[in-house]
């Protein structure tokens, strides 16, 4: 009888320990889920504090709200940045997102066009954009550069640019706090959830992207066209128009000669007709 009671007590103790372990495990899962939901929205965001930087870069990908332009416009107004580099992919045969971004930025800021630079590119990714502009900044001996991109993409962008540049120049990132991404309740908002999932996957993939990469130098530039200011772009457009002036003049001269020839022929025809009538 005592042996049966001992076995029962032993089973009870084992069951009690198992229930306790399961309870602790459930509490751990609930806590981990809570932390994931409430805190992981900020894992993708990297925002640096700064007082002034010489360069700010607007990476491609902003929405039709031009939220990155608005953020940079506020920095220009506060005197926190000196020059702007605007990147944009080609979206038509001869038009780029950069054209639209720059047009809007100039319109809302009326900033010096000699200090706004344009990068028309076909880069499909952030790492490709980094390879385009890092050698250019190194050639100009830039010191500190602020990157403006989507808030959940800031940690990934910072990782890519810092690795490829070797922290020369130093790349900072800004949290623009765009309304489409809510880090506090991302899991309950469809657009925020899409951004979180996409950027988390992209961040993990960035480790593979950098596996065979090395620090870039000024000589590593493979960009196919010069990076110029808006003022230089407009000056070249004016020059292009001026090259058409000789062709226009030639066309006008040819039209004048043709008109004179027609007048001469008409006069000759009129004279011949008058002579025939008098006979």
């Amino acid at each position: 009888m005592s042996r049966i009671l001992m076995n029962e007590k032993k089973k009870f103790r084992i069951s009690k320990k198992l229930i306790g372990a399961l309870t602790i495990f459930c509490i751990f899962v609930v806590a981990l889920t809570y932390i994931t939901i409430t805190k992981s929205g900020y894992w993708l965001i990297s925002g640096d504090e700064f007082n002034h930087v010489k360069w700010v870069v607007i990476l491609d990908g902003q929405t039709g709200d031009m939220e990155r332009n608005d953020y940079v416009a506020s920095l220009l107004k506060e005197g926190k940045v000196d020059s702007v580099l605007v990147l944009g992919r080609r979206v038509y045969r001869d038009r780029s997102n950069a054209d639209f971004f720059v047009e809007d930025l100039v319109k809302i800021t009326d900033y010096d066009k000699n200090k706004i630079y344009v990068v028309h590119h076909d880069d499909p990714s952030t790492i490709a954009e980094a390879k385009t502009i890092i050698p250019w900044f190194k050639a100009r001996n830039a010191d500190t550069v602020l990157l403006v991109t989507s808030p959940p993409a800031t940690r990934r962008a910072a990782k890519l640019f810092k690795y490829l540049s070797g922290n020369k120049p130093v790349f900072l990132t800004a949290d623009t706090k765009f309304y489409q991404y809510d880090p506090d309740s991302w899991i309950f908002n469809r657009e925020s959830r899409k951004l979180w999932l996409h950027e988390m996957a992209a961040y993990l993939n960035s480790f593979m992207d950098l596996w065979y990469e090395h620090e870039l130098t000024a000589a590593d530039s493979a960009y196919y066209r010069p990076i110029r200011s808006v003022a230089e772009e407009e000056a070249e457009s004016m020059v292009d128009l001026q090259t058409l002036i000789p062709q226009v003049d030639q066309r006008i001269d040819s039209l004048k000669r043709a008109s004179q020839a027609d007048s001469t022929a008409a006069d000759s025809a009129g004279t011949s007709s008058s002579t025939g009538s008098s006979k």
Side-chain angles (χ1 to χ4, degrees):
M1 187 72 178
S2 60
R3 188 175 297 177
I4 294 174
L5 290 174
M6 287 179 63
N7 288 335
E8 290 294 329
K9 289 181 180 180
K10 187 175 181 180
K11 290 179 180 179
F12 178 75
R13 285 196 300 267
I14 293 173
S15 298
K16 193 174 180 180
K17 288 180 180 179
L18 182 61
I19 292 172
L22 288 173
T23 301
I24 293 173
F25 176 75
C26 290
I27 292 173
F28 173 77
V29 170
V30 171
L32 182 63
T33 302
Y34 174 80
I35 293 173
T36 301
I37 292 174
T38 59
K39 303 297 181 182
S40 65
Y42 292 95
W43 294 349
L44 297 170
I45 299 175
S46 175
D48 296 302
E49 297 291 333
F50 65 95
N51 294 319
H52 178 269
V53 292
K54 182 173 176 57
W55 287 96
V56 60
V57 175
I58 302 177
L59 296 177
D60 192 18
Q62 62 181 317
T63 69
D65 291 318
M66 297 293 183
E67 69 282 355
R68 301 179 196 178
N69 276 15
D70 290 338
Y71 178 77
V72 171
S74 66
L75 296 181
L76 292 172
K77 184 177 180 180
E78 295 170 9
K80 289 188 173 183
V81 296
D82 296 333
S83 301
V84 186
L85 190 68
V86 182
L87 283 75
R89 296 178 182 86
R90 185 167 58 89
V91 290
Y92 300 112
R93 292 181 186 275
D94 58 350
R95 293 302 301 272
S96 164
N97 278 336
D99 297 322
F100 302 108
F101 298 158
V102 165
E103 180 181 347
D104 177 75
L105 186 63
V106 170
K107 181 179 178 181
I108 64 176
T109 62
D110 195 27
Y111 198 62
D112 185 358
K113 294 180 181 180
N114 288 293
K115 294 184 178 181
I116 300 178
Y117 290 75
V118 191
V119 183
H120 304 90
H121 67 77
D122 292 312
D123 297 332
S125 61
T126 303
I127 192 171
E129 288 181 315
K131 291 179 179 180
T132 292
I133 64 175
I134 286 175
W136 188 78
F137 278 121
K138 283 183 175 288
R140 300 176 76 92
N141 294 317
D143 178 52
T144 306
V145 180
L146 177 68
L147 299 173
V148 178
T149 185
S150 171
T154 49
R155 186 168 299 280
R156 176 171 58 91
K159 175 183 176 61
L160 294 172
F161 276 83
K162 288 178 181 179
Y163 183 90
L164 293 174
S165 68
N167 274 330
K168 295 177 183 179
V170 174
F171 283 96
L172 307 178
T173 49
D175 178 12
T176 58
K177 295 180 172 59
F178 187 45
Y179 73 89
Q180 285 190 354
Y181 182 72
D182 183 0
D184 291 311
S185 57
W186 63 269
I187 199 168
F188 304 110
N189 180 276
R190 183 176 184 274
E191 294 304 317
S192 295
R193 190 165 59 250
K194 283 167 56 180
L195 287 170
W196 188 92
L197 292 169
H198 175 270
E199 288 300 334
M200 183 60 74
Y203 180 75
L204 295 175
N205 185 64
S206 68
F207 288 91
M208 295 183 64
D209 287 338
L210 296 174
W211 190 264
Y212 296 106
E213 299 294 343
H214 62 277
E215 181 182 337
L216 299 173
T217 67
D220 288 322
S221 178
Y223 188 53
Y224 59 90
R225 60 185 294 180
I227 298 175
R228 296 176 299 196
S229 68
V230 174
E232 290 172 325
E233 292 271 327
E234 291 181 350
E236 183 180 89
S237 298
M238 292 295 293
V239 170
D240 289 343
L241 290 175
Q242 289 176 358
T243 58
L244 296 176
I245 292 177
Q247 300 177 26
V248 173
D249 289 338
Q250 290 177 4
R251 180 59 177 166
I252 292 173
D253 290 339
S254 64
L255 290 174
K256 284 181 178 180
R257 288 194 296 268
S259 178
Q260 290 173 356
D262 291 342
S263 298
T264 303
D267 291 341
S268 300
T271 302
S272 300
S273 177
S274 298
T275 302
S277 299
S278 60
K279 288 181 178 179

